[in-house]
Amino acid sequence: MLQTPRGTADLLPADQAYWSYVTAHFQSICEAFGYGEIRTPVFEDTRLFQRTVGEGTDIVEKEMYTFSDRGGDSLTLRPEGTAPVVRAYLEHGMHRLPQPVKLSYIASIFRYDRPQAGRLRQHHQFGVEALGEEAATIDAEIISLLLTLYRSVGLTGISLQLNNIGDAACRPQYIEDLTAYYRSHVHALCDNCQARLERNPLRLLDCKEDSCQPFIQEAPHTLDNLCADCDAHFSTLKRSLDAMEIEYTLNHTLVRGLDYYTRTVFEVWPEAVGRQSALGGGGRYDGLARHIGKRDVPGIGFGTGIERIILNLQRQGVAPDERQPFSVYIATLGERAGTYGIGLTNDLRQRGIRALLTYKQRSLKAQLRQAGNQAADCAVIVGDDELAQGQVLLRDLKSSTQENVAATDLVQALERLRAGEQDPQ
Ligand code: HAM
């Protein structure tokens, strides 16, 4: 028996209530904030991610699904959503549009991760990217959009972790100081950190090993080493967050797992679980576009895992609005009635009424049982003899009342029932 590949999941109709619920919230919030939807291909030129996410990162080193196609090109299943959006911005000359260009996406993401609760090899993200604006007020807008999403779906107990990791002007000096600090402790570091010291020193601050924690706590902070521009940028961000009454925790160890970030970085952590399973994260990436095209484009955005949002909603006992649409079951007895039922079902569906029918001749009892199993609101019962007289029986399955209705009045009667269902007084 073949099964889904490890770390992937089927999305069954029963799972849809949560997916539709969170997606509807995301879409309406993006609309309110003025972010238009973009879709990019599931795979891209491998170099796109090597150049932007970074050669020394876990994603590029260990987690990408990379393959050669039949023409010999190296392609990679999208391991994150930002680089493809910036590529599309540059490719389609969006720098000529009024800036900033504000984009949102719902995308499947592929990472060869170790599967566990909330960690998949194919997951899905809601993301937004704002391109062409460097002012920190838009950083605050992006953070507010993310928190608005969590609040509106009903998540509680979340915390916003915030840091600024500097830019091309101040980060090189900071990295030198950080490296010098860690070199003096090199023999006490875990193997991973010894490698990071050579390849990606900022990631030293993200080590999870207990033995490395004291060194992280004592390490120099990026916030103490910002240049004047980064410092002013961060002050504006904090002022804007205060103006929106958004609380945050300054976290000097927050450095993120992708190389393209500059200045603002943030994550949102669910109650008591922490960074291992962040609900969402993002930041500013003013240097990213230059790695793709010959243009400097400031940008900021976030990604948030849809499966993680749903997992946390379920942990917190928040159920989506599961009201089913009004539905009608067409029960037929006899051949002519069966044929009429097919036409009636199709007619109702064209009018947007959810109509169910029996696909083969069955007893009335069996059909009504099926109507109940499918939670139909009412049944139209059609028999050959009654039909010859232009009559059908309309049974309200909730109240178990029924009436004879002229076939010509049936649609109107159903519309009335549907309206009553949607607007119960
Ligand atoms: P990221 O932090 O790698 O950032 O991923 C964003 C979110 O995707 C995470 O916070 C988490 O909710 C979810 N996620 C990541 N990996 C997995 C996984 N294996 N299984 C389930 N969910 C996962 C980015 O991808 C950046 N592109 C975000 C960004 C946008 N930065 C700027 N703009």
Side-chain angles (χ1 to χ4, degrees), residues 21-57:
Y21 170 74
V22 295
T23 304
H25 279 272
F26 176 68
Q27 287 174 328
S28 78
I29 290 165
C30 284
E31 208 169 296
F33 279 73
Y35 286 72
E37 188 169 349
I38 183 166
R39 291 187 196 203
T40 60
V42 168
F43 53 81
E44 298 268 356
D45 188 319
T46 300
R47 290 169 297 179
L48 178 67
F49 303 111
Q50 289 169 334
R51 288 185 196 168
T52 57
V53 174
E55 295 279 7
T57 59

Side-chain angles (χ1 to χ4, degrees), residues 272-316:
V273 189
R275 73 161 49 145
Q276 289 286 11
S277 50
L279 269 168
R284 181 163 277 286
Y285 44 84
D286 294 345
L288 194 161
R290 181 140 291 274
H291 292 297
I292 304 174
K294 294 191 172 57
R295 187 172 288 280
D296 286 316
V297 182
I300 170 138
F302 69 71
T304 176
I306 302 178
E307 288 86 353
R308 288 204 189 163
I309 296 177
I310 293 174
L311 186 68
N312 281 278
L313 286 172
Q314 288 167 340
R315 280 184 181 152
Q316 294 187 0

